[in-house]
Amino acid sequence: MKTTIATLVFLFTFSLGFSQEKKAQQKTQTVEAACGQCQFGLKDKKGCDLAVRMDGKSYFVEGTTMNDHGDAHAKDGMCSAVRKAEVTGEVKDNKFIASSFKLLPLEGHKHDAHDGHKH
């Protein structure tokens, strides 16, 4: 009986560890982010929608929108420029399901230069 209980406890602990390990496998990666229609030529939807390009393939994003990351139609907005973003998530049903999405500043472009001095 003790062996059976010990086996059950081991299997339960192992299955919990395995499911947590699967979630931990999602790694943050840097991808290109932009308007899927304006910059990546996606035609599945009308209008302007956030997309990412990973390994040469573009995916519309679920979990965040372009409006969550500034004015999409500004000079440095995602309808006008391809940006870099740090993302975590997975591709599912030909969409990128974002669990985190951080838009990075344009390279060579100082974003809000705060130097620690009060103005």
Side-chain angles (χ1 to χ4, degrees), residues 4-115:
T4 303
I5 292 173
T7 302
L8 288 174
V9 168
F10 172 78
L11 290 174
F12 180 73
T13 305
F14 177 77
S15 67
L16 279 178
F18 182 75
S19 65
Q20 289 175 349
E21 183 179 311
K22 187 175 179 183
K23 288 180 184 177
Q25 287 178 351
Q26 284 189 353
K27 294 180 183 174
T28 300
Q29 56 186 321
T30 302
V31 300
E32 294 178 302
C35 175
Q37 292 87 340
C38 295
Q39 294 295 322
F40 294 153
L42 295 176
K43 302 194 185 309
D44 299 353
K45 296 180 176 183
K46 292 186 184 252
C48 294
D49 297 282
L50 179 60
V52 294
R53 186 163 46 204
M54 304 169 10
D55 300 322
K57 183 151 174 51
S58 299
Y59 304 94
F60 284 115
V61 175
E62 288 189 8
T64 188
T65 68
M66 287 193 300
N67 292 333
D68 295 332
H69 305 283
D71 180 359
H73 295 101
K75 182 180 173 186
D76 63 349
M78 288 188 260
C79 285
S80 304
V82 176
R83 304 281 303 269
K84 297 280 187 191
E86 289 181 350
V87 300
T88 305
E90 65 179 334
V91 175
K92 187 174 185 180
D93 298 326
N94 209 33
K95 296 175 194 151
F96 182 75
I97 313 302
S99 47
S100 73
F101 188 101
K102 178 184 174 188
L103 190 63
L104 300 176
L106 283 173
E107 293 177 13
H109 182 272
K110 291 190 179 182
H111 185 79
D112 225 8
H114 289 287
D115 58 6

